[in-house]
Amino acid sequence: MNQQNKMPHTGDPSNVIQHFPKYQIQLLCCRHWWLEKWEFKELSFPYWRIYHNSSSGAVIIYNGKEYQLASNKVIMIPPNTSYATRLYNNRIPKAGYSLKGGRVNTNFSEETLHLDQYILHLFIHFNIGIPYDTFHPGIFCFDLTDHLLEKLQKIKRHLNYENAKFSFPISLALKSLITDLLAELPEESWNILTKNHRILESFNFIEQNINKDLNNSVLAENANMSTNAFIHLFSSETGMSPQKYIRQKRINQACILLHHSSFTIDQIAFKTGFANRYHFSKIFKEVSGLSPARYKKVLA
């Protein structure tokens, strides 16, 4: 028998073990709004965003550069990118924001809205998990291909009729859209904090136990290291102490829950590991510059 054509006993032509990165797209929200006002001095959130507008007029300002949102462009923004926004030449408030809009449904259309005053605005929020949510900040603009347009139209048609429940095919369309855009991002921009397996496992342990007491001794024991050795390794790999990292992760999780859950502020304080609402509100304002109640109103 020709040895080149012989089937291997395992049914696999290779005995090389392959390793693939583990990630999971967590959809946080997907909405289609009309906007009359969209003026923010600063937007910075611990989750990814996708924007697509049906007409021009909206602007994102990042690092002194303006990015126009238009019908032939799709915008993707990584977590913790700080940027400003406005519609047309509207003035951006010196503090806070100016937001006026609402859901697009079957009663709305581009014809019934005054296009010189309103913008139709699709936005999607999602996470893909640690360490891939540590992507380098920036604004990424993609040309709208027929392939992307087909998915966007399917998603918008669904949202025009149903805003709360998503079918499996629509969820697939959303995740397919996200994956297509992520795959086009520059490979060198994936700013992973560390590749050390012990620290990566610590990241996962922190996320799964964010509401518990996570002192350095607990973290070190989980990593099978002495406390001092763990602190040194964590700080050298990430550039921050374990407790500073935990505080930031708790605030990040609180931001997500404030925007994408129906939990009360007291419940969110408990779920993110703070002693009480007062302590949570104090730390949250120190980090974000806004009270939790004020932050909860900022969405689009």
Short mmCIF file of all heavy atoms in Angstrom, two decimals, residues 119-144:
data_model
loop_
_atom_site.label_atom_id
_atom_site.label_comp_id
_atom_site.label_asym_id
_atom_site.label_seq_id
_atom_site.Cartn_x
_atom_site.Cartn_y
_atom_site.Cartn_z
N ILE A 119 -30.44 62.15 13.88
CA ILE A 119 -29.53 61.14 13.35
C ILE A 119 -30.06 59.77 13.77
O ILE A 119 -30.48 59.58 14.91
CB ILE A 119 -28.10 61.33 13.93
CG1 ILE A 119 -27.48 62.64 13.47
CG2 ILE A 119 -27.21 60.15 13.56
CD1 ILE A 119 -27.14 62.69 12.00
N LEU A 120 -30.07 58.82 12.85
CA LEU A 120 -30.40 57.44 13.18
C LEU A 120 -29.10 56.72 13.54
O LEU A 120 -28.18 56.65 12.72
CB LEU A 120 -31.11 56.75 12.03
CG LEU A 120 -32.48 57.34 11.65
CD1 LEU A 120 -33.11 56.52 10.53
CD2 LEU A 120 -33.40 57.39 12.85
N HIS A 121 -29.04 56.17 14.73
CA HIS A 121 -27.78 55.76 15.34
C HIS A 121 -27.89 54.35 15.91
O HIS A 121 -28.67 54.12 16.84
CB HIS A 121 -27.47 56.78 16.46
CG HIS A 121 -26.26 56.51 17.28
ND1 HIS A 121 -24.98 56.68 16.81
CD2 HIS A 121 -26.13 56.11 18.57
CE1 HIS A 121 -24.11 56.41 17.78
NE2 HIS A 121 -24.79 56.05 18.86
N LEU A 122 -27.15 53.40 15.32
CA LEU A 122 -27.08 52.04 15.86
C LEU A 122 -25.84 51.93 16.75
O LEU A 122 -24.75 52.33 16.34
CB LEU A 122 -26.97 51.02 14.73
CG LEU A 122 -26.78 49.56 15.19
CD1 LEU A 122 -28.08 48.98 15.71
CD2 LEU A 122 -26.22 48.69 14.06
N PHE A 123 -26.01 51.40 17.96
CA PHE A 123 -24.83 51.17 18.80
C PHE A 123 -24.91 49.80 19.45
O PHE A 123 -25.98 49.34 19.86
CB PHE A 123 -24.63 52.28 19.84
CG PHE A 123 -25.79 52.53 20.78
CD1 PHE A 123 -25.80 52.02 22.07
CD2 PHE A 123 -26.86 53.33 20.39
CE1 PHE A 123 -26.85 52.28 22.95
CE2 PHE A 123 -27.91 53.61 21.25
CZ PHE A 123 -27.90 53.07 22.54
N ILE A 124 -23.75 49.16 19.52
CA ILE A 124 -23.60 47.82 20.08
C ILE A 124 -22.50 47.87 21.12
O ILE A 124 -21.42 48.41 20.86
CB ILE A 124 -23.25 46.79 18.98
CG1 ILE A 124 -24.32 46.77 17.89
CG2 ILE A 124 -23.07 45.39 19.59
CD1 ILE A 124 -23.90 46.02 16.64
N HIS A 125 -22.76 47.33 22.30
CA HIS A 125 -21.77 47.25 23.38
C HIS A 125 -21.49 45.77 23.65
O HIS A 125 -22.41 44.97 23.73
CB HIS A 125 -22.28 47.89 24.67
CG HIS A 125 -22.67 49.33 24.52
ND1 HIS A 125 -23.36 50.02 25.51
CD2 HIS A 125 -22.46 50.23 23.52
CE1 HIS A 125 -23.55 51.27 25.12
NE2 HIS A 125 -23.03 51.41 23.92
N PHE A 126 -20.20 45.44 23.85
CA PHE A 126 -19.85 44.05 24.11
C PHE A 126 -18.49 43.96 24.78
O PHE A 126 -17.71 44.92 24.79
CB PHE A 126 -19.85 43.23 22.82
CG PHE A 126 -18.77 43.63 21.83
CD1 PHE A 126 -17.56 42.95 21.79
CD2 PHE A 126 -18.97 44.68 20.95
CE1 PHE A 126 -16.56 43.32 20.89
CE2 PHE A 126 -17.98 45.06 20.04
CZ PHE A 126 -16.78 44.38 20.01
N ASN A 127 -18.20 42.80 25.34
CA ASN A 127 -16.87 42.47 25.85
C ASN A 127 -16.44 41.14 25.27
O ASN A 127 -17.28 40.33 24.85
CB ASN A 127 -16.85 42.39 27.38
CG ASN A 127 -16.79 43.75 28.05
OD1 ASN A 127 -17.74 44.17 28.70
ND2 ASN A 127 -15.71 44.47 27.87
N ILE A 128 -15.12 40.89 25.25
CA ILE A 128 -14.62 39.59 24.81
C ILE A 128 -13.77 38.93 25.88
O ILE A 128 -13.24 37.85 25.68
CB ILE A 128 -13.83 39.69 23.48
CG1 ILE A 128 -12.72 40.74 23.56
CG2 ILE A 128 -14.77 40.00 22.34
CD1 ILE A 128 -11.90 40.83 22.29
N GLY A 129 -13.62 39.59 27.05
CA GLY A 129 -12.96 38.97 28.18
C GLY A 129 -11.49 39.30 28.30
O GLY A 129 -10.85 39.77 27.36
N ILE A 130 -10.97 39.01 29.49
CA ILE A 130 -9.55 39.19 29.78
C ILE A 130 -8.77 38.06 29.12
O ILE A 130 -9.20 36.92 29.14
CB ILE A 130 -9.33 39.19 31.31
CG1 ILE A 130 -9.98 40.42 31.92
CG2 ILE A 130 -7.85 39.14 31.66
CD1 ILE A 130 -9.37 41.73 31.48
N PRO A 131 -7.61 38.35 28.51
CA PRO A 131 -6.90 39.64 28.47
C PRO A 131 -7.21 40.49 27.24
O PRO A 131 -6.59 41.53 27.05
CB PRO A 131 -5.43 39.19 28.46
CG PRO A 131 -5.45 37.95 27.63
CD PRO A 131 -6.75 37.24 27.97
N TYR A 132 -8.18 40.08 26.42
CA TYR A 132 -8.36 40.73 25.12
C TYR A 132 -9.12 42.05 25.19
O TYR A 132 -9.12 42.82 24.22
CB TYR A 132 -9.01 39.75 24.13
CG TYR A 132 -8.22 38.48 24.03
CD1 TYR A 132 -8.67 37.30 24.60
CD2 TYR A 132 -6.97 38.48 23.42
CE1 TYR A 132 -7.92 36.14 24.54
CE2 TYR A 132 -6.20 37.34 23.36
CZ TYR A 132 -6.68 36.17 23.92
OH TYR A 132 -5.92 35.02 23.88
N ASP A 133 -9.74 42.33 26.33
CA ASP A 133 -10.37 43.64 26.50
C ASP A 133 -9.34 44.72 26.86
O ASP A 133 -9.71 45.86 27.09
CB ASP A 133 -11.45 43.58 27.58
CG ASP A 133 -12.70 42.87 27.10
OD1 ASP A 133 -12.93 42.82 25.88
OD2 ASP A 133 -13.46 42.34 27.95
N THR A 134 -8.07 44.36 26.92
CA THR A 134 -7.00 45.34 27.18
C THR A 134 -6.40 45.85 25.88
O THR A 134 -5.25 46.27 25.84
CB THR A 134 -5.90 44.72 28.06
OG1 THR A 134 -5.32 43.60 27.38
CG2 THR A 134 -6.46 44.27 29.40
N PHE A 135 -7.18 45.84 24.82
CA PHE A 135 -6.74 46.31 23.51
C PHE A 135 -6.32 47.77 23.58
O PHE A 135 -6.87 48.56 24.35
CB PHE A 135 -7.89 46.14 22.51
CG PHE A 135 -7.49 46.27 21.07
CD1 PHE A 135 -7.10 45.16 20.36
CD2 PHE A 135 -7.50 47.49 20.44
CE1 PHE A 135 -6.74 45.26 19.02
CE2 PHE A 135 -7.14 47.62 19.11
CZ PHE A 135 -6.76 46.50 18.40
N HIS A 136 -5.37 48.14 22.74
CA HIS A 136 -4.86 49.51 22.72
C HIS A 136 -5.99 50.48 22.35
O HIS A 136 -6.72 50.25 21.40
CB HIS A 136 -3.73 49.63 21.69
CG HIS A 136 -3.02 50.94 21.72
ND1 HIS A 136 -2.14 51.28 22.73
CD2 HIS A 136 -3.08 52.01 20.89
CE1 HIS A 136 -1.67 52.50 22.50
NE2 HIS A 136 -2.23 52.96 21.40
N PRO A 137 -6.17 51.58 23.11
CA PRO A 137 -7.25 52.54 22.82
C PRO A 137 -7.11 53.15 21.42
O PRO A 137 -6.01 53.27 20.87
CB PRO A 137 -7.06 53.62 23.90
CG PRO A 137 -6.32 52.94 25.00
CD PRO A 137 -5.41 51.96 24.32
N GLY A 138 -8.24 53.56 20.85
CA GLY A 138 -8.24 54.19 19.54
C GLY A 138 -9.62 54.20 18.93
O GLY A 138 -10.58 53.69 19.50
N ILE A 139 -9.72 54.82 17.76
CA ILE A 139 -10.96 54.85 16.98
C ILE A 139 -10.66 54.15 15.66
O ILE A 139 -9.75 54.57 14.93
CB ILE A 139 -11.44 56.29 16.72
CG1 ILE A 139 -11.55 57.08 18.03
CG2 ILE A 139 -12.78 56.27 15.96
CD1 ILE A 139 -12.58 56.57 19.00
N PHE A 140 -11.41 53.13 15.32
CA PHE A 140 -11.15 52.35 14.11
C PHE A 140 -12.34 52.47 13.17
O PHE A 140 -13.48 52.17 13.55
CB PHE A 140 -10.88 50.90 14.47
CG PHE A 140 -9.63 50.71 15.30
CD1 PHE A 140 -9.70 50.75 16.69
CD2 PHE A 140 -8.40 50.55 14.69
CE1 PHE A 140 -8.56 50.62 17.45
CE2 PHE A 140 -7.24 50.42 15.44
CZ PHE A 140 -7.32 50.45 16.83
N CYS A 141 -12.07 52.93 11.95
CA CYS A 141 -13.11 53.16 10.94
C CYS A 141 -13.00 52.10 9.84
O CYS A 141 -11.91 51.85 9.31
CB CYS A 141 -12.96 54.55 10.32
SG CYS A 141 -13.05 55.90 11.50
N PHE A 142 -14.13 51.51 9.48
CA PHE A 142 -14.16 50.48 8.45
C PHE A 142 -15.13 50.91 7.34
O PHE A 142 -16.20 51.44 7.62
CB PHE A 142 -14.64 49.15 9.04
CG PHE A 142 -13.78 48.63 10.15
CD1 PHE A 142 -14.07 48.94 11.48
CD2 PHE A 142 -12.67 47.83 9.89
CE1 PHE A 142 -13.28 48.46 12.51
CE2 PHE A 142 -11.88 47.35 10.91
CZ PHE A 142 -12.18 47.67 12.23
N ASP A 143 -14.73 50.65 6.12
CA ASP A 143 -15.65 50.88 5.00
C ASP A 143 -16.80 49.88 5.08
O ASP A 143 -16.60 48.71 5.43
CB ASP A 143 -14.92 50.71 3.66
CG ASP A 143 -13.89 51.81 3.43
OD1 ASP A 143 -14.10 52.92 3.93
OD2 ASP A 143 -12.88 51.53 2.76
N LEU A 144 -17.99 50.34 4.76
CA LEU A 144 -19.17 49.48 4.82
C LEU A 144 -19.24 48.62 3.56
O LEU A 144 -19.59 49.10 2.49
CB LEU A 144 -20.44 50.32 4.96
CG LEU A 144 -21.73 49.54 5.11
CD1 LEU A 144 -21.74 48.75 6.40
CD2 LEU A 144 -22.94 50.47 5.06
#
